[in-house]
Amino acid sequence: MPTAEKLKPNDYKTGREPIWCPGCGDFGALNAFYQALSELEVEPHMLALFSGIGCSSRLPYFVNGYCHHGVHGRALPAAMGAKLSNPELTVVVTGGDGDGFSIGTGHVPHIVRRNPDITYIMLDNEIYGLTKGQIAPTSPVGMTTSSTPLGSLEDPLNPVALLIACNASFVARGFSGDPKGLKDLFVKAISHPGFAFVDVLSPCPTFNMDMTYQSLRPKVSPLPEDHDSSDRVAAFARALEPVVYTGVFYHRRESIPYEKRHASLRAKQVEYGGQPDLAALIRKFR
Amino acid sequence: MSAPHVLIRIGGEGGEGIISTGDLLSRAASRQGLCIMTYRTYPAEIKGGLAQFQMKLASDPIRSIGLRFQHLMAFNQEALDAFHDGMLKGGTIYYDPAECPDLSKVSGEIERVPIPLTDLAKEKGGSIRGKNMVALGFLSRLASVDLETVAGLVREKFKRKGEKVLDSNLASLNAGYDLGDQTIDGRGVKLTPKSQRGQSIVISGNEATMLGALAAGCKYMAGYPITPASSILEFATRHLPRFGGTVVQAEDEISAMASCIGASFVGKKAMTATSGPGLMLKGELITLASTQELPVVIIDVQRGGPSTGLPTKQEQSDLKFAIYGTAGEAPKIVVAPATVEDCFYLTAKAFSLAEEYQMPVIVLSDTNLAVRTETVPEFDVSRVDVAERLRPTPEQMKDYKRYEDTPTGVSPIIDPGTPGGLHIAPGLEHDEYGTPCYTGVNHTKMNAKRFRKLETLSKRAEEWMADWAPVEGAELCIIGWGSTKGAIQEACQMAAERGIRVSHFHPRIVAPLPEAQIREALSKVKKVIVVEENFTGQFSHFLKAKFKFDPVEVLRSMGVPITPDEVLEEIVKVHETLHPAKPQGASYAHR
């Protein structure tokens, strides 16, 4: 659909009202996402948006595009199958820290190894919100929740450090209290030709009083201007600092997306095996 | 008993070329116009362990291979001791004297003929690695396969390994054939190829399955290595990209299934292949595809279960999981190929059904079909009718509803990338637009819509849905499913020779059942025997619940295919209960 004029952020709304609690950080992320889509002039019919289960995984219901709300923790492989099957699509995955780093963690290093051109937006609230306030893989140790009444016994995962360690080709962190900065990160991530990860600090005002806009603001700081995002070791070191940096931690310039590797493989098989001819292949069994 | 045939078993250490000897011999026989069927067992261990290859050669098409044999070629002592059981009276053991010093475990009317595999390979071919070529030459002579035909195949196989290797192998092959000339005499079997049978191929079920997928236009395949399904993934890797598709070896079974759903969501025909443990892991995503109404094909090559079970053995025990094994009520279609030929045409059909009814289709293959090779008529790609998804009419496009409640239950679908069809595919219960809706009235309505697709299908009563061989005046009918078909057919024929008339009903689609056809089969007989290779009678339970009758259950969980003799024995028992003239035959036990 050739758009006569550029779509505005509001044109990406579906008319379905978000079901999130008032004050939820996901609103800020959603608005930044609408703006990024508008800025990049993504045509809605070329957008394929995937999610799993959780509050943030409801996001696709509110975005004009072809959307897929799947099962818990499996949005990454579903999105990969879609991107490989139609590389023309802009493929984005949204979901929470429980979806991505608890039930679905197993898929993370593997999608990173393959590096399809997919953007993964994690709305990280350090809590299970949809199931009403249990401990999450990113919650700090000692945190009191409905499933840890005397405090959590487990150390949290560091999503940014994990993705850099896995060698993702684009790793960033944003804050839903900074919609402008977040929009810029989404634009960069979607434009990156490979697997791009954006960890979005997105407070849950209902179940996580330990991570609020107020508590985050003093901790959050943009990455220093001299941070070299092509330096993976430096990026990893920044990810381990107590300061909660936002911005692009790591961005590998040489990035061959998985779907391009598959296209090369197809060409190579035709080169060696000739044009596809099923009857001829069957005759080989004579 | 049946038409002339020869049954040969080859046994030895895994890695000694047992399987390739069998492969080459069977392919050469097929090229000469004979029919073959082969069966092999692999050790479950990684290296070493015993391997055996059994083959049946005949002039006429072969339905089952059975477990008995006339000729055993033993490469070593362990194979000799382990594999001579099941030899028919008057059979012959050919053994390598260098490797088999002790014949004391062999008893009865069995001839023992030393074949110096090791010595001849060393002497003529210059390497003991040519042992299997000596055996191949010898067995070719035994089965009256031309030396030139088999030598041609050996040349094809070794041409890339250089002249030296090829010459050594050919020398061993010739030595074995010459030895056969001197020793075989009357033991040789003269089989006459039937002319006019048309072109044949020799192929395994797993290869046929993937070819069927290619014929149907499959463009995405993701799998995770699992015995005995891995060779489908491997075959796909070698060929699907050339046909414009994509193959991914996923990090786990769940990822494989999820990525197929993603591929299907954007409009591609997608498949995965697995075995029982993997099917269970995919369960949640199978329900997702069902409620999102996305086409996807899941090949389940059944093996012995539960859990890791008997990973290299035959069993038909995933049926209940395939039909019912989901939390929540998720309609899906289950088909079961009965032969290697079915693996091709029915897999292709599975894609058409998936596209047409927009739901997961599970193909229940099994170890027996997967690893056996068979002479089959060359697959005819033009016989495959390729179905596509239902698209909306211009009228429907004015107010597009992805999950429109229609008389057939099937709703028009638009693929991502196409303007005008924006929608969400939800795992949540939803209304016709895909918007979440949890009211009881809506849930009941959408359940009815989704399940209506199965009703639409079960009413089709088309020829492909079942093999129905009614016999005039038969009091008995055998119902089986999957790869037991050949053994049942042979047993019915053997029963007929004894004057017992038995009909045979063998559905290719097991869910939804072809109801009208089954009711007709049931109405004509006094007693039904259900034959299946599992412990609890899974298909029988399903039939009993649906049709309210009391069949005799013939159940086997021995890890090997049921034989015609076993089925015949049960037929005779049931026949005797219906005709209790002979008092001693009045009771029957069905297991």
Side-chain angles (χ1 to χ4, degrees), chain A residues 76 97 100-102 104-110 112-113 120 122 124 137-138 156-173 195 197 199 232 235-240 249-250:
Chain A
L76 289 176
D97 42 297
F101 286 140
S102 195
T105 334
H107 306 303
V108 172
H110 302 285
V112 164
R113 289 196 299 124
Y120 182 23
M122 170 164 292
D124 183 355
T138 47
L157 278 176
N158 178 334
V160 170
L162 182 65
L163 268 287
I164 296 169
C166 290
N167 201 16
S169 55
F170 183 101
V171 184
R173 185 190 284 137
F195 185 73
F197 174 73
D199 182 42
R232 191 167 158 223
F236 194 74
R238 293 288 183 204
L240 300 185
F249 282 73
Y250 181 61

Side-chain angles (χ1 to χ4, degrees), chain A:
Chain A
M1 184 170 56
T3 39
E5 54 189 272
K6 191 173 149 181
L7 292 173
K8 297 185 181 64
N10 277 348
D11 295 331
Y12 291 92
K13 293 185 176 173
T14 58
R16 295 185 187 106
E17 283 306 311
I19 40 90
W20 300 317
C21 306
C24 175
D26 294 356
F27 284 106
L30 177 60
N31 284 329
F33 188 54
Y34 290 142
Q35 286 164 15
L37 292 174
S38 168
E39 183 171 325
L40 289 166
E41 298 185 43
V42 176
E43 294 175 275
H45 72 273
M46 295 307 288
L47 173 67
L49 188 53
F50 288 78
S51 69
I53 297 298
C55 293
S56 50
S57 287
R58 293 295 177 90
L59 189 142
Y61 285 99
F62 320 127
V63 180
N64 251 333
Y66 282 94
C67 299
H68 186 279
H69 181 220
V71 299
H72 203 14
R74 315 299 167 204
L76 289 176
M80 182 188 76
K83 184 68 188 180
L84 289 175
S85 297
N86 185 351
E88 301 301 313
L89 297 169
T90 298
V91 179
V92 180
V93 176
T94 65
D97 42 297
D99 191 69
F101 286 140
S102 195
I103 193 167
T105 334
H107 306 303
V108 172
H110 302 285
I111 197 145
V112 164
R113 289 196 299 124
R114 296 178 185 126
N115 196 36
D117 184 3
I118 290 174
T119 300
Y120 182 23
I121 297 172
M122 170 164 292
L123 304 185
D124 183 355
N125 57 8
E126 301 185 0
I127 195 79
Y128 278 76
L130 191 66
T131 49
K132 304 200 190 304
Q134 296 84 4
I135 199 80
T138 47
S139 311
V141 66
M143 183 167 157
T144 307
T145 71
S146 62
S147 61
T148 54
L150 296 178
S152 159
L153 307 178
E154 294 156 15
D155 287 328
L157 278 176
N158 178 334
V160 170
L162 182 65
L163 268 287
I164 296 169
C166 290
N167 201 16
S169 55
F170 183 101
V171 184
R173 185 190 284 137
F175 173 36
S176 60
D178 172 21
K180 165 77 175 62
L182 200 51
K183 184 264 297 172
D184 289 344
L185 287 181
F186 289 164
V187 168
K188 282 181 192 157
I190 294 170
S191 306
H192 169 68
F195 185 73
F197 174 73
V198 186
D199 182 42
V200 181
L201 301 171
S202 180
C204 170
T206 308
F207 293 109
N208 189 353
M209 300 312 136
D210 294 2
M211 183 182 131
T212 62
Y213 281 112
Q214 288 88 336
S215 69
L216 275 173
R217 285 199 198 280
K219 289 187 216 163
V220 169
S221 162
L223 279 162
E225 282 196 3
D226 63 351
H227 172 66
D228 178 3
S229 65
S230 67
D231 184 340
R232 191 167 158 223
V233 174
F236 194 74
R238 293 288 183 204
L240 300 185
E241 282 183 35
V243 185
V244 183
Y245 287 119
T246 55
V248 179
F249 282 73
Y250 181 61
H251 183 190
R252 193 168 70 236
R253 267 56 179 191
E254 312 80 54
S255 166
I256 303 167
Y258 195 37
E259 60 275 14
K260 289 228 166 102
R261 295 181 195 206
H262 277 280
S264 309
L265 175 68
R266 278 180 214 117
K268 200 185 277 182
Q269 282 203 352
V270 170
E271 190 188 325
Y272 292 134
Q275 289 299 320
D277 179 348
L278 187 56
L281 180 56
I282 292 169
R283 283 197 293 277
K284 288 198 170 165
F285 289 88
R286 278 181 182 172

Side-chain angles (χ1 to χ4, degrees), chain B residues 471-499:
Chain B
V471 172
E472 197 57 41
E475 294 176 321
L476 295 177
C477 177
I478 297 193
I479 300 183
W481 63 279
S483 67
T484 55
K485 180 173 146 184
I488 295 171
Q489 284 178 318
E490 279 191 20
C492 290
Q493 199 182 323
M494 281 155 31
E497 285 161 17
R498 296 180 177 209

Side-chain angles (χ1 to χ4, degrees), chain A residues 80-87, chain B residues 219-220 246 259 262-264 266-268:
Chain A
M80 182 188 76
K83 184 68 188 180
L84 289 175
S85 297
N86 185 351
Chain B
K219 285 288 180 283
Y220 187 86
T246 306
S259 71
S264 178
V266 302
K268 291 290 193 286

